[in-house]
Amino acid sequence: MIINAIKRKRQEIIRSRRRRKIANIAKYSLPGLVIGVGCGLLLAPKSGKETILKIKSDVGNTKENLENKSKKIVKSVGSSIENKRAKIAESKKRIKEYFDKNNDLIEIKASFVKEPDEIEKSNSEPDESELKDNK
């Protein structure tokens, strides 16, 4: 038992050291990567101005594309909601028609259902009048 506990503790320490190493690597390499990409773009064979203009146009195009896609999504969601509302309204209408059509049948079936007071009476001891009737 003690040996297993020591092994588990040792493994936990090793895992935590690995996590710290990975975190340190990510912490220092990501900014370096971003800086490297930025410098690579600015120092590319094209002039810096051309590259900056290309980046600006790409960002503008991306903005327009996002706006167009978001408008399409809003329209599709709106039409989907309207379709669901129409289906719900149709279902409500059909349910109402069913109950209006079968109201008499439903009332007959409901008359066979016992009220809570009636259930309690049937579960309690019989009255004296009921006992006389049974004799």
Side-chain angles (χ1 to χ4, degrees):
M1 293 180 114
I2 295 174
I3 295 172
N4 290 337
I6 293 170
K7 286 180 181 179
R8 279 193 301 261
K9 187 64 175 176
R10 199 176 282 163
Q11 288 174 349
E12 288 175 19
I13 292 169
I14 291 169
R15 284 189 201 122
S16 66
R17 286 181 185 166
R18 285 182 189 159
R19 286 187 197 122
R20 275 188 253 133
K21 284 181 182 179
I22 292 170
N24 284 335
I25 289 169
K27 184 170 50 174
Y28 294 114
S29 64
L30 285 177
L33 179 67
V34 170
I35 291 170
V37 168
C39 289
L41 287 173
L42 296 175
L43 299 174
K46 293 182 181 179
S47 70
K49 288 181 181 180
E50 290 175 11
T51 305
I52 291 171
L53 289 174
K54 184 178 184 309
I55 291 170
K56 284 183 180 179
S57 69
D58 289 346
V59 169
N61 291 339
T62 303
K63 180 183 173 187
E64 291 172 6
N65 289 338
L66 287 175
E67 287 176 353
N68 292 336
K69 286 183 182 181
S70 64
K71 287 178 184 177
K72 286 180 184 177
I73 290 171
V74 168
K75 286 181 184 178
S76 68
V77 169
S79 65
S80 176
I81 290 172
E82 289 303 317
N83 290 339
K84 299 297 180 196
R85 284 183 181 163
K87 286 181 181 180
I88 290 171
E90 178 64 27
S91 296
K92 283 182 179 179
K93 180 182 172 186
R94 288 176 38 204
I95 290 169
K96 186 177 183 315
E97 289 173 357
Y98 173 81
F99 279 109
D100 289 344
K101 183 178 176 182
N102 297 311
N103 193 20
D104 295 335
L105 181 64
I106 293 169
E107 287 179 6
I108 291 170
K109 286 184 179 180
S111 68
F112 290 108
V113 176
K114 290 185 176 180
E115 294 292 325
D117 295 339
E118 294 174 2
I119 294 171
E120 287 179 16
K121 286 181 183 177
S122 66
N123 289 339
S124 64
E125 295 181 16
D127 293 337
E128 289 179 22
S129 63
E130 291 178 2
L131 291 174
K132 289 178 185 177
D133 292 338
N134 290 338
K135 290 182 182 181

